[in-house]
Amino acid sequence: MDQDYERRLLRQINHQNLPRETHPTKCGGATCSPPTVKSGDRFIPTRAGSNWSINFHYANENCRSPSQNHKAKDASAESGKDTLAYAALLRNELLGAGIEVVAEPHVDDRRQAVLSQSSHSLFRYTVHTKRVPFDSDSEVSPYSLSPLSNKSHKLLRSPRKPARKISKIPFKVLDAPELQDDFYLNLVDWSAGNLLSVGLGACVYLWSACTSQVTRLCDLSVDGDSVTSVCWNERGSLVAVGTHKGYVQIWDAAGGRKLSSLEGHSARVGALAWNGEQLSSGSRDRVILQRDVRTPPSAERRLQGHRQEVCGLKWSPDHQHLASGGNDNKLLVWNSSSLLPVQQYSDHVAAVKAIAWSPHQHGLLASGGGTADRCLRFWNTLTGQALQSTDTGSQVCNLAWSKHANELVSTHGYSQNQILVWKYPSLTQVAKLTGHSYRVLYLAVSPDGEAIVTGAGDETLRFWNVFSKTRCTKESKSVLNLFTRIR
């Protein structure tokens, strides 16, 4: 190469690498434009920061409506198992992975489930061995016309768990006139004897889930009082009734007679919880009273820790701890001997009515906050630590765990009035049920743990198959005016 040409070429390259000045230069007193730099005619774009799969995904989502996106997500969730099976089939045929069974992963673990299988290099040296008889587990029959290997045949023949479907339509709807639209009341409970107790105005009605027979247990209008809470004992023989005037009445459901009337509260009793023969009651007077129904009323324990109305009470499955929620945004945990709370949680920023102890994990407590909070929170009461939380988007009114699976259901008020089924601990939504036109303030679980009943200010009770197994018969939706006044 000519030395002069090489020198000019290097000078031009060094000139192009220098930073370009934007300030004008002066040439003999006159302002001149900056010198132009010649560059090559080739343009090579950089694609290092481009993620084409994400870009095309966003482009497709922008072209669809929100309803279409929701349907597409549902379809992708249903086809997830097929995608895993197809991916495993390809790995068997192309890479010899030897996958025989496709596991049932969670939504977030689908990609990891396929990659967790034993990986093999695409290019590898192998030693061919002598073929063994076709009836062994390692080879396909020599007379088979299928191009798939024996492992892939086993993969395709492996049993697959059917997709779980939760009906979004209640299998029964009952009319419940005068069912109050009050967040601080607890007016629905389901007994172990399959009797549903409902407080309607000044009366408590019992509905048999076996015979659909309705009976009126009590009428407080004679005393100028009204029902503010109902709660069955564990055996399902006694029902406690809290009143607006602060009384707690104990009724024998089978005999239809009042056994006792407990005093002690100066305001309405909105929360009740049984612990064997002991009954805990929470009131608007901020006091929790714990009494043994077999002893005189004077033998009581007064638990004072809330600064506003007590609106939620639940005993742990081991009968050792009582959780209480209040309108002061506090969640307190009491033991069976102390008069002061052993734990206090203050992360909620609204009233805590929704409380539920997990029957599957010892010491696990779930709670939900009101309109200003909207969060589900989980606590390890053994260590006093907060585990996790999620924003539900609306007021949390009730919580209940499934007896058969590690799932829970929550009912909500402002502003969506929905019922949500959650899988724990992933906190993924299994189902979303709608139908109530008012806040879903009341919730109870059937004694077999397969169905729930919800109540709202729209004066209806709706029965849902949420945790149910495969039902042998289908019940059509019916509207029954069963809770009419009995004269």
Side-chain angles (χ1 to χ4, degrees), residues 358-361 364 401-408 422-426 467:
S358 171
H360 311 290
Q361 184 175 339
L364 176 59
W401 287 87
S402 168
K403 298 179 181 179
H404 308 296
N406 206 11
E407 298 176 347
L408 70 159
W422 306 84
K423 184 179 290 293
Y424 186 84
S426 61
F467 302 126

Side-chain angles (χ1 to χ4, degrees), residues 243-248 262-269 271-272 280-291 300 302:
T243 73
H244 188 270
K245 290 186 177 181
Y247 296 100
V248 178
L262 306 177
E263 301 179 356
H265 290 292
S266 59
R268 68 180 182 187
V269 179
L272 296 168
S280 301
S281 57
S283 171
R284 198 172 189 174
D285 60 9
R286 303 170 295 177
V287 177
I288 301 173
L289 294 182
Q290 186 172 331
R291 295 169 278 204
E300 64 181 20
R302 297 177 64 89

Side-chain angles (χ1 to χ4, degrees), residues 179-180 185-189 197-200 227-230 442:
L179 185 61
Q180 298 298 312
L185 307 186
N186 293 274
L187 298 176
V188 178
D189 197 19
S197 62
V198 183
L200 301 178
V227 180
T228 54
S229 57
V230 293
Y442 310 110

Side-chain angles (χ1 to χ4, degrees), residues 138-184:
S138 59
E139 292 294 339
V140 186
S141 168
Y143 306 105
S144 175
L145 299 179
S146 174
L148 301 179
S149 63
N150 191 41
K151 299 292 185 180
S152 296
H153 277 282
K154 287 186 177 181
L155 176 66
L156 296 177
R157 288 196 302 264
S158 63
R160 297 182 58 188
K161 186 178 180 180
R164 179 183 173 191
K165 293 184 180 179
I166 297 179
S167 175
K168 296 188 177 182
I169 300 176
F171 65 87
K172 190 182 292 295
V173 180
L174 302 180
D175 186 20
E178 296 188 56
L179 185 61
Q180 298 298 312
D181 183 29
D182 194 328
F183 176 79
Y184 299 98

